[in-house]
């Protein structure tokens, strides 16, 4: 007696199975994003603390290897972070405040130069460019920060979020060795090794991204600042600070900060100096793309530029500026998890092209 013939052919059944998997993954991801947006007042400090832990983890581990108490090592590491971030923030804010008027005035002159030579815009559109930019930034910042903590100002929200993120960073650093126990507590016993490996791979990707991005941001800002100082472009320190901050938003941040530097050079020093500034910015970008990125971040998750841009767009749509800052690290962690899953479960079957040499087929029953 012949067995019943399947209702659907094998390729159609495979396609249906993959469609179900895609729908399930999409649904779970959508619920996760909705929960993060709904509870963003709690999620934001956690994500910032994870980024801080990834960046400061090597320092804490080195202090522990020097036989310091884990709590003391975590406290010293957080104090070092406060000193470095506070000092860097003071330098950036001071540089931007000292040179902000020059940069805005130079941008006005650059806009007027473009209008006069290319007829792009005239009249009040150029005169009010600074006011329009301030209004746009105000609206964008309000939409990004609104609803985080009802009834508090943006400054208060930032301070509260920063303090909470700092405290969480301390606990994450101090209790890093207990992370394995969490995996044993929440995951089925058979899945503990896989969960532990995926979590480690995701954190390793975020750690590499943060460390590499910080080093690259420092090198980019230093090179562009030195170049602008040589060209005697006004506000070189402020523009260098803008380059450093923008480096944490891949591609888009570098493009905006570089464009501002070129426009300032165009307005104050003329077309030739602007071309030299453009050459410096492009040379730094080439150095970053072909030397710094492959060398510094060679051991982290490598994402295609298209995936980076998609992540930035999705992050901006979900959480504004904060979403753009967090989008790439989160995507790097997701790609780390996917890479671990492929490593564990993506092997070919003996019938496929990856069958080992000398494999013998199973005997017929």
């Amino acid at each position: 007696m012949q067995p019943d013939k399947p209702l659907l052919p094998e390729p159609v059944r495979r396609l249906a199975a993959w469609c179900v998997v895609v729908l399930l993954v999409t649904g779970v991801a959508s619920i996760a994003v909705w929960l993060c947006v709904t509870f963003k007042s709690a999620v934001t400090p956690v994500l910032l603390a994870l980024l801080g832990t990834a960046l400061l983890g090597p320092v804490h581990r080195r202090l522990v290897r020097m036989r310091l108490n884990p709590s003391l090592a975590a406290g010293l590491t957080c104090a070092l972070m406060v000193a470095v971030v506070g000092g860097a923030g003071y330098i950036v804010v001071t540089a931007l405040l000292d040179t902000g008027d020059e940069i805005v005035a130079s941008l006005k002159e650059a806009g007027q130069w473009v209008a006069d030579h290319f007829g792009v815009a005239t009249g009040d559109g150029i005169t009010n460019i600074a006011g329009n930019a301030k209004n746009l930034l105000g609206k964008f910042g309000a939409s990004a920060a609104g609803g985080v903590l009802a009834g508090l100002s943006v400054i208060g929200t930032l301070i509260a979020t920063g303090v909470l993120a700092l405290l969480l960073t301390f606990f994450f650093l101090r209790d890093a060795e207990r992370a394995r126990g969490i995996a044993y507590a929440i995951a089925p016993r058979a899945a503990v090794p896989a969960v532990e490996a995926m979590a480690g791979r995701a954190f390793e990707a975020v750690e590499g991204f943060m460390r590499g991005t910080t080093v690259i941001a420092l090198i980019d800002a230093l090179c562009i600042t030195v170049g602008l100082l040589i060209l005697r472009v006004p506000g070189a320190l402020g523009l260098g600070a803008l380059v450093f901050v923008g480096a944490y938003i891949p591609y888009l941040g570098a493009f905006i900060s570089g464009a501002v530097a070129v426009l300032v050079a165009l307005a104050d020093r003329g077309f030739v100096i602007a071309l030299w500034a453009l050459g410096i910015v492009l040379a730094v970008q080439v150095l970053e793309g072909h030397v710094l990125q492959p060398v510094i971040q060679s051991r982290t998750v490598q994402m295609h530029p298209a995936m980076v841009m998609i992540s930035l767009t999705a992050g901006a749509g979900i959480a504004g500026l904060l979403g753009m800052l967090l989008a790439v690290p989160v995507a790097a962690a997701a790609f780390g998890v996917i890479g671990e899953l492929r490593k564990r479960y993506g092997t070919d079957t003996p019938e496929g092209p990856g069958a080992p040499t000398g494999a013998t087929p199973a005997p017929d029953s």
Side-chain angles (χ1 to χ4, degrees):
M1 182 178 178
Q2 290 184 346
D4 295 336
K5 186 176 180 180
L7 181 62
L8 296 174
E10 181 67 18
V12 176
R13 285 186 289 163
R14 287 179 177 272
L15 177 62
W18 276 109
C19 289
V20 171
V21 170
V22 170
L23 288 175
L24 287 175
V25 171
T26 304
V28 172
S30 300
I31 293 174
V33 170
W34 178 79
L35 289 174
C36 289
V37 173
T38 302
F39 300 102
K40 58 185 176 182
S41 58
V43 172
T44 300
V46 173
L47 292 178
L48 293 177
L50 287 175
L51 295 183
T53 304
L55 183 60
L56 299 173
V59 178
H60 178 262
R61 290 192 292 268
R62 177 166 295 185
L63 292 177
V64 171
R65 284 196 296 267
M66 295 170 61
R67 298 188 178 181
L68 285 179
N69 181 274
S71 298
L72 178 60
L76 291 176
T77 305
C78 290
L80 177 63
M81 181 182 68
V82 171
V84 172
V85 172
Y90 175 79
I91 293 173
V92 170
V93 171
T94 301
L96 290 177
L97 290 178
D98 291 342
T99 60
D101 293 337
E102 297 180 18
I103 293 175
V104 171
S106 298
L107 287 176
K108 285 184 180 181
E109 295 178 11
Q112 190 63 54
W113 185 91
V114 171
D116 294 339
H117 288 77
F118 299 99
V120 176
T122 57
D124 295 337
I126 297 299
T127 304
N128 297 328
I129 184 172
N132 294 334
K134 290 181 180 179
N135 292 334
L136 179 61
L137 289 175
K139 292 178 181 179
F140 184 73
S143 63
V148 177
L149 291 175
L152 295 178
S153 65
V154 174
I155 299 296
T157 299
L158 292 177
I159 293 175
T161 302
V163 171
L164 183 56
L166 181 63
L167 293 175
L168 289 175
T169 302
F170 169 81
F171 290 119
F172 290 167
L173 289 171
R174 189 192 67 177
D175 301 329
E177 298 299 328
R178 303 180 187 177
R180 181 176 299 180
I182 298 176
Y184 280 93
I186 65 175
R189 185 175 299 273
V192 167
V195 171
E196 185 178 356
M198 287 187 293
R201 186 73 177 271
F203 188 78
E204 180 184 351
V206 176
E207 187 178 51
F209 170 82
M210 290 299 297
R211 186 169 59 247
T213 301
T214 301
V215 174
I216 291 172
L218 286 172
I219 296 175
D220 287 355
L222 180 62
C223 293
I224 291 180
T225 302
V226 171
L228 295 179
L229 287 174
I230 293 174
L231 296 176
R232 291 184 296 174
V233 176
L237 294 178
L239 293 172
L242 185 62
V243 170
F244 176 79
V245 174
Y248 284 93
I249 303 178
Y251 302 110
L252 184 61
F255 173 78
I256 294 176
S257 58
V260 171
V262 173
L263 287 174
V264 171
L266 174 66
D268 192 83
R269 301 301 310 282
F271 186 73
V272 176
I273 299 298
L275 287 180
W276 278 103
L278 178 61
I280 292 174
V281 171
L282 293 179
V284 170
Q285 295 306 313
V286 171
L287 176 67
E288 175 185 339
H290 293 82
V291 178
L292 299 180
Q293 288 280 0
V295 171
I296 295 177
Q297 293 187 337
S298 59
R299 296 184 180 181
T300 63
V301 176
Q302 298 294 319
M303 293 193 299
H304 193 276
M307 295 304 301
V308 174
M309 296 304 298
I310 292 173
S311 301
L312 291 174
T313 304
I318 293 172
L321 182 59
L322 181 63
M324 294 178 69
L325 292 173
L326 298 176
V328 180
V330 171
F335 272 83
V337 172
I338 293 173
E340 183 63 29
L341 289 174
R342 291 184 60 185
K343 178 182 176 181
R344 286 179 168 267
Y345 307 111
T347 55
D348 295 322
T349 59
E351 292 80 4
T357 305
T360 55
D364 297 333
S365 56

